Amino acid sequence: MEQACHRDRPVIQVRRLRKEYIMGEERVVALKDINLSIMRGEICCIFGTSGSGKSTLLNQLAGLEKPTRGQVLIGGVPVSRLDENGLAAFRQKHVGFVFQSYNLLPELTAVENVAMPLMFRGVPKEVRELEAKKMLCRVGLANRMDHYPGQMSGGQQQRAGIARAFITRPDIVFADEPTGNLDSKTTKEVMEMIHRFARTFHQTIVLVSHDPEMTEYADRIVTLVDGEIVSDKKNRGESAI
C-alpha cells in the first residue's frame, strides 16, 4: 500500500468498471464504465436510490464481487484480480467494514466480537482483548463489554461494529448503510463517531447510503443513477461536522 502513504494520491482507483448480471435470459447492467478516484483521508459518500448500483459499486471496491470488465486498485494493488486467499489477506491488513445489520456473532461477547480482527492477525488473546476493551470504552460501551449482541440495543450493536471496524486502524473503512436500522438520534451519534475516528486515524471512509442526511458527513458526494455516476462534487469544501 505504498500509495496510501501519500495524501495527494488516490488510495482507491476505479478504471472503466462494468458489472453485468445474467438473470434468466436477460442481461442486467448494474454498473456502466465507472471511473473514480478516492483520496487518502477522504470521506466519500456513494449516494443513490435503491437500484442505482451503489451497493454493487461498494462490493466491487471491497473485492466482494468480480467485475465483468475493468478493475479496482487499492494502494496500487489490483484487488479485482486477487484470488480468495489473496483478498482475505489483503482485507485483514488494510480494510474494515461497518454493516447495516451489524454482523456481530451472537455467541460472542462485545469484547470477543471487537477483538476478532486482531485474532486473524495472530495477536495474543490477552493483548487483543485489552485493545478491544479500549475501543469499546471509546465508543461508549464500557458497561457492555461482557454482553452478547442479543443483550444490546441496535445502537449499541452498531457501536460495537464500529469498534471492530476501526480496531486494526485499517487504511479504508467501507460503511454500507451503517445507520439504516437506527433512529435519528442514534444515527447522529454513530455518524459522528465514524467521522471522529476517520479524522483521528487519518483513514479513508467509503460510505454508501440512500439517505440525503448522510451526505452531510462526507467530504465528497458521488451520486449514482442506473449504474452511472451523474454527479461528483465536494461537500462545501469540508464535511459538515
Side-chain angles (χ1 to χ4, degrees):
M1 293 276 295
E2 181 180 352
Q3 285 192 11
C5 297
H6 301 278
R7 176 84 190 229
D8 59 342
R9 297 184 185 177
V11 65
I12 299 175
Q13 293 173 286
V14 181
R15 297 174 176 170
R16 298 197 63 194
L17 189 71
R18 184 177 182 88
K19 181 62 180 177
E20 301 175 358
Y21 297 100
I22 304 299
M23 303 182 68
E25 297 182 356
E26 185 179 0
R27 184 185 300 271
V28 177
V29 180
L31 296 173
K32 305 173 184 177
D33 299 318
I34 299 292
N35 291 288
L36 179 67
S37 295
I38 298 174
M39 310 302 285
R40 177 168 173 79
E42 189 170 50
I43 300 177
C44 180
C45 179
I46 308 296
F47 178 75
T49 58
S50 177
S52 63
K54 62 185 185 300
S55 293
T56 302
L57 179 55
L58 180 75
N59 289 342
Q60 295 289 319
L61 298 180
L64 299 175
E65 295 182 11
K66 296 294 185 184
T68 303
R69 189 176 69 216
Q71 65 176 336
V72 175
L73 297 99
I74 297 181
V77 176
V79 295
S80 50
R81 297 179 182 175
L82 296 177
D83 61 20
E84 287 305 314
N85 289 335
L87 272 171
F90 184 85
R91 290 193 201 106
Q92 287 172 21
K93 190 173 182 181
H94 299 293
V95 175
F97 291 92
V98 180
F99 302 96
Q100 178 178 352
S101 55
Y102 321 131
N103 282 25
L104 301 176
L105 295 180
E107 69 275 14
L108 299 183
T109 64
V111 166
E112 291 167 337
N113 267 290
V114 173
M116 187 171 294
L118 295 177
M119 180 184 72
F120 290 134
R121 289 191 176 187
V123 176
K125 183 177 180 180
E126 288 186 6
V127 176
R128 68 178 183 253
E129 291 195 351
L130 177 60
E131 291 302 310
K133 289 175 180 178
K134 290 179 182 177
M135 285 299 296
L136 286 166
C137 287
R138 294 186 77 155
V139 299
L141 293 179
N143 61 344
R144 293 288 188 271
M145 293 187 183
D146 295 323
H147 287 214
Y148 294 92
Q151 298 172 312
M152 295 188 289
S153 68
Q156 289 167 345
Q157 289 185 63
Q158 192 59 296
R159 285 169 178 261
I162 291 168
R164 178 186 58 191
F166 283 90
I167 193 168
T168 60
R169 308 293 194 268
D171 297 289
I172 301 165
V173 173
F174 294 108
D176 187 7
E177 299 278 8
T179 62
N181 293 332
L182 306 176
D183 60 45
S184 58
K185 179 177 181 293
T186 309
T187 289
K188 187 173 186 293
E189 293 171 352
V190 163
M191 289 308 303
E192 288 177 353
M193 194 175 300
I194 290 173
H195 187 278
R196 183 170 67 252
F197 280 149
R199 293 294 189 247
T200 299
F201 303 140
H202 309 293
Q203 291 157 308
T204 303
I205 306 292
V206 180
L207 166 69
V208 168
S209 183
H210 69 279
D211 184 352
E213 292 188 10
M214 292 299 98
T215 63
E216 297 178 8
Y217 298 88
D219 302 311
R220 178 180 172 197
I221 306 158
V222 176
T223 303
L224 290 185
V225 174
D226 295 332
E228 296 183 281
I229 295 176
V230 297
S231 175
D232 184 349
K233 61 183 181 181
K234 296 288 186 180
N235 188 19
R236 297 183 295 276
E238 294 289 342
S239 54
I241 302 304

